[in-house]
Amino acid sequence: MNNQKKIAIINYEMGNIGSIVNMIKKIGFKVSVVNDPQKLTYYDYLILPGVGNFERGVNQLKDLNFYDFLSSEIKTLDTKLLGICLGMQLLFDSSEEGEGEGLGLIRGKVKKFENLDAASRIPHMGWNFIKKKKELEIFDFCEKNSRFYFVHSYFCDPENLENVSATSTYGGKEFSSIVNSSNIYGTQFHPEKSHKFGFQLLKGFLQL
């Protein structure tokens, strides 16, 4: 792989940045943390991390001037974008977790887990498997029974099932765990907390 690829993590002050930086360095790449939205066009790969509330995430993207670039300009570029956890949810139109319009890069809504089986608590927290719905390059290095670390109370419900790349099941509910639309990708889980499986998936993303 080309070590000269330009990779950046978007710092909107709601992300697990240190762990992602360490994982990308372990894969063998240099990575920047970007605070200035005007510099985003320089990069080949962008990662939008996220921990916390959807509404606050939208407000942070707007307050720090990342929102306009991500909601419109990135569609016209070759730049690959990966949203992680809340970052994936922000790719969608809206959420039941508060007000505010998401980035609208993938049509659909973020919904709260409801009517799970009696043994399942919210949030969904811990290790879980994924079931691939299509073959993508992002899976090229993944083992057959890859499992990942999740922490979330809401799940993404795309309007178009073609945007669902993989699903997981919790409490009897099947939900989207990886989504994709053109150059836009999202993982509901945290690859940076998922040890060798997260390493393999991020390696696949960075070869796209």
Side-chain angles (χ1 to χ4, degrees):
M1 287 187 291
N2 177 9
N3 290 323
Q4 301 305 312
K5 290 184 177 183
K6 298 182 286 293
I7 305 163
I9 300 169
I10 298 168
N11 181 19
Y12 66 115
E13 301 175 1
M14 290 190 70
N16 210 10
I17 291 176
S19 298
I20 301 173
V21 168
N22 291 337
M23 180 71 82
I24 292 173
K25 287 182 176 179
K26 186 177 178 182
I27 294 170
F29 293 112
K30 294 180 180 179
V31 58
S32 301
V33 177
V34 175
N35 302 296
D36 181 357
Q38 294 186 352
K39 295 181 179 180
L40 293 180
T41 55
Y42 172 78
Y43 294 95
D44 304 310
Y45 300 85
L46 294 174
I47 296 176
L48 180 67
V51 176
N53 176 274
F54 182 92
E55 183 174 350
R56 182 164 181 264
V58 170
N59 290 337
Q60 284 291 103
L61 289 175
K62 290 181 176 180
D63 290 346
L64 297 175
N65 299 314
F66 289 114
Y67 186 91
D68 288 345
F69 173 85
L70 292 173
S71 63
S72 58
E73 289 185 53
I74 197 165
K75 297 176 184 178
T76 67
L77 303 174
D78 291 330
T79 308
K80 309 296 188 295
L81 173 66
L82 174 66
I84 294 175
C85 197
L86 174 62
M88 167 170 152
Q89 295 179 1
L90 291 169
L91 302 177
F92 284 76
D93 295 315
S94 63
S95 174
E96 293 179 353
E97 190 183 25
E99 302 296 325
E101 293 184 2
L103 296 170
L105 296 172
I106 297 178
R107 305 313 304 262
K109 188 172 184 177
V110 181
K111 299 179 179 180
K112 187 173 184 177
F113 277 122
E114 293 180 330
N115 302 318
L116 302 180
D117 61 38
S120 301
R121 298 182 178 180
I122 298 173
H124 169 216
M125 182 168 62
W127 293 88
N128 203 344
F129 294 96
I130 66 168
K131 180 180 180 181
K132 291 189 290 184
K133 295 296 185 180
K134 57 179 64 176
E135 289 297 332
L136 297 174
E137 286 184 277
I138 197 171
F139 295 127
D140 280 359
F141 301 101
C142 290
E143 297 179 16
K144 184 176 181 180
N145 293 313
S146 295
R147 59 192 182 98
F148 300 91
Y149 190 80
F150 291 79
V151 184
H152 63 120
S153 300
Y154 294 78
F155 66 94
C156 297
D157 185 19
E159 287 184 5
N160 187 349
L161 292 179
E162 284 296 312
N163 295 138
V164 180
S165 303
T167 61
S168 298
T169 301
Y170 180 66
K173 170 71 178 179
E174 186 178 23
F175 64 91
S176 303
S177 49
I178 302 178
V179 294
N180 165 244
S181 177
S182 186
N183 59 325
I184 310 298
Y185 295 79
T187 65
Q188 183 58 72
F189 52 82
H190 288 275
E192 77 281 7
K193 294 183 178 181
S194 301
H195 305 312
K196 69 174 182 178
F197 305 108
F199 178 97
Q200 293 162 355
L201 189 88
L202 284 175
K203 185 177 179 181
F205 172 69
L206 296 174
Q207 66 140 8
L208 293 171

